[in-house]
Amino acid sequence: MRVLSWVPIVIVTVVHLVALVADAAVVAAWSQVLLMPALAVVLLTLPRHDRGPAWPWAGGALAASWVGDSLPRVVPEDAQFLSMVGGFAVAQVLWIVAFTRVERGRAPMAWTLLLVVVAVALLAVTMPEAGILAPAVLAYGMLLLAVAWFAADHGWVGGLGGALFILSDGLIALGAFRPDLVDWPERDLMVMATYVAAQALFVAVVLFTRSPDHTLLRSPIHLRDAA
């Protein structure tokens, strides 16, 4: 049953990515709206007694991400970017809460420094072009860095998820403010592939940490125990 719960997100993701490659705009648009509900099936099929303290926050993060995917399609064009960022900002906050509700280790300092360098570089490139949106870009960049940092406290699964989230959102930011730097045909494909993979890895962290026994799955990244 646990494996079967991943089938919806696999199917919807494949449909969406194929639609992007085939330039099938209508299919791509509607399949994007279905991505987060399909991933939520993984959480919703967990028995109530086996959900763990991070479960409701993770569910809220997926719901907020769905808003970020969907709301820009029904608001005026000049409000689309902020509506997307707003939904995902709420999602980032909820993921941070989820990651701090369960036992965690501590990400290696080198990894933390790398995240900071990448985040600062992205902000340095995009903020000068953001105009009045610069404060929103800065705030969202800090949230993105925080969620990647807290995710990395849960081992290689969370660390990879955080890195992919930074890559996905970084490409979106560059596309919005510095399109000259990411002007290649398959940019949207990479954005969505890394976005879904990041969210799926975050959900995997929730599954791995829903009880003390599962936290042992963090060990491949060689985390140090938290002080």
Side-chain angles (χ1 to χ4, degrees):
M1 182 61 181
R2 298 281 169 79
V3 175
L4 290 178
S5 68
W6 289 91
V7 171
I9 185 58
V10 172
I11 293 174
V12 176
T13 300
V14 170
V15 169
H16 181 65
L17 297 181
V18 170
L20 289 176
V21 172
D23 200 23
V26 174
V27 176
W30 283 105
S31 57
Q32 181 175 348
V33 171
L34 294 175
L35 285 169
M36 291 303 100
L39 184 55
V41 170
V42 178
L43 295 178
L44 293 172
T45 54
L46 285 173
R48 288 185 179 274
H49 67 275
D50 195 27
R51 290 179 174 178
W55 185 92
W57 303 100
L62 294 183
S65 297
W66 175 80
V67 171
D69 284 333
S70 307
L71 190 58
R73 305 182 186 283
V74 297
V75 299
E77 184 175 355
D78 59 354
Q80 289 176 358
F81 183 77
L82 280 180
S83 64
M84 177 186 68
V85 170
F88 286 118
V90 173
Q92 306 290 21
V93 172
L94 292 172
W95 277 125
I96 290 170
V97 176
F99 294 146
T100 58
R101 285 296 179 269
V102 291
E103 181 187 353
R104 66 187 195 275
R106 184 180 300 165
M109 181 58 67
W111 180 252
T112 302
L113 291 175
L114 178 61
L115 291 176
V116 171
V117 169
V118 171
V120 169
L122 280 171
L123 290 172
V125 171
T126 55
M127 283 189 61
E129 306 297 326
I132 61 173
L133 295 178
V137 172
L138 176 61
Y140 187 81
M142 293 298 98
L143 279 176
L144 187 61
L145 174 61
V147 77
W149 179 43
F150 281 109
D153 285 346
H154 295 285
W156 70 269
V157 175
L160 180 58
L164 290 176
F165 225 130
I166 287 179
L167 175 58
S168 179
D169 282 8
L171 288 172
I172 292 174
L174 290 172
F177 303 116
R178 289 296 303 273
D180 55 303
L181 298 179
V182 288
D183 186 19
W184 67 78
E186 305 306 327
R187 181 182 67 87
D188 289 345
L189 180 67
M190 183 175 291
V191 166
M192 294 309 300
T194 52
Y195 165 64
V196 176
Q199 296 275 25
L201 288 167
F202 284 176
V203 169
V205 168
V206 174
L207 299 183
F208 292 162
T209 59
R210 65 189 188 275
S211 71
D213 292 338
H214 290 91
T215 59
L216 296 175
L217 293 176
R218 298 177 313 184
S219 59
I221 203 173
H222 305 295
L223 293 180
R224 302 188 303 273
D225 290 336

